[in-house]
């Protein structure tokens, strides 16, 4: 192997040197004239498409009729709103607002009520189906989703 620039015999591995726009095999000396290419540029390979599981946390929502269910369950137990409020360490005004539908209990409070009154207040929303992606305004489709839809 000879140096492509000076023609000297190269001992060992020739150095790939970029001179102007061509890559040449050169000796140590001539490598100084150009940019040393450590390795031939690899074509950029895209990561193989992997269907990675999306992080799906079921969304917990308080059902619509929560106020009726709470009121009926409370009345069945013979409790006043004040009684119920005491049991969950809330103010009676909170129970008032919940039972009149003016306030949606948060999940934490709804869980307390569920346990206490033995009722069901929380529903877990279903996973989004591909078909729904276009219509749902809540969770937007990602580029990945769109690609996936087109693929199908
Ligand atoms: Zn040389």
């Amino acid at each position: 192997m000879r140096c492509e620039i000076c023609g000297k015999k190269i001992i060992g591995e020739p150095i790939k040197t970029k001179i102007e726009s061509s890559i040449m095999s050169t000796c140590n000396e001539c490598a100084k004239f150009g940019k040393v290419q450590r390795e031939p540029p690899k074509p950029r390979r895209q990561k193989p498409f992997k269907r990675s599981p999306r992080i799906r946390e079921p969304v917990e929502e308080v059902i619509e009729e929560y106020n009726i269910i709470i009121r009926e369950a409370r009345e069945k137990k013979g409790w006043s709103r004040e009684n119920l409020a005491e049991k969950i360490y809330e103010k009676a005004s909170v129970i008032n607002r919940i039972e009149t539908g003016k306030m949606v209990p948060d999940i934490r409070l709804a869980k307390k009520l569920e346990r206490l009154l033995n009722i069901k207040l929380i529903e877990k929303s279903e996973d989004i189906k591909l078909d729904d992606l276009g219509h749902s305004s809540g969770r937007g489709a990602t580029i990945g989703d769109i690609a996936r839809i087109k693929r199908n």
Side-chain angles (χ1 to χ4, degrees), residues 33-115:
F33 297 122
K35 249 190 165 179
V36 176
Q37 301 285 298
R38 296 258 169 241
E39 43 188 276
K42 275 182 194 157
R44 266 202 181 183
R45 269 217 288 169
Q46 285 205 306
K47 280 183 188 169
F49 182 81
K50 244 191 190 169
R51 212 189 171 100
S52 56
R54 291 198 14 242
I55 302 152
R56 291 181 174 193
E57 282 177 53
V59 180
E60 290 183 318
E61 281 173 352
V62 175
I63 56 170
E64 257 178 74
E65 325 78 86
Y66 67 92
N67 54 327
I68 302 158
I69 290 166
I70 292 166
R71 200 193 62 228
E72 282 179 355
R74 175 182 59 77
E75 285 171 351
K76 238 186 245 175
K77 288 196 183 275
W79 296 343
S80 66
R81 286 179 180 177
E82 285 75 17
N83 292 152
L84 177 58
E86 275 171 32
K87 289 177 200 293
I88 58 167
Y89 307 104
E90 295 288 348
K91 288 177 191 153
S93 63
V94 172
I95 305 300
N96 265 322
R97 275 185 290 164
I98 290 172
E99 286 194 3
T100 50
K102 284 177 187 148
M103 182 188 134
V104 182
D106 60 27
I107 297 296
R108 184 190 56 85
L109 184 54
K111 279 183 178 166
K112 257 199 231 175
L113 289 165
E114 276 189 333
R115 276 196 298 270

Side-chain angles (χ1 to χ4, degrees), residues 3 5-8 26-27 29-30:
C3 171
I5 293 174
C6 68
K8 264 203 283 184
T26 67
C27 66
E29 285 299 301
C30 297

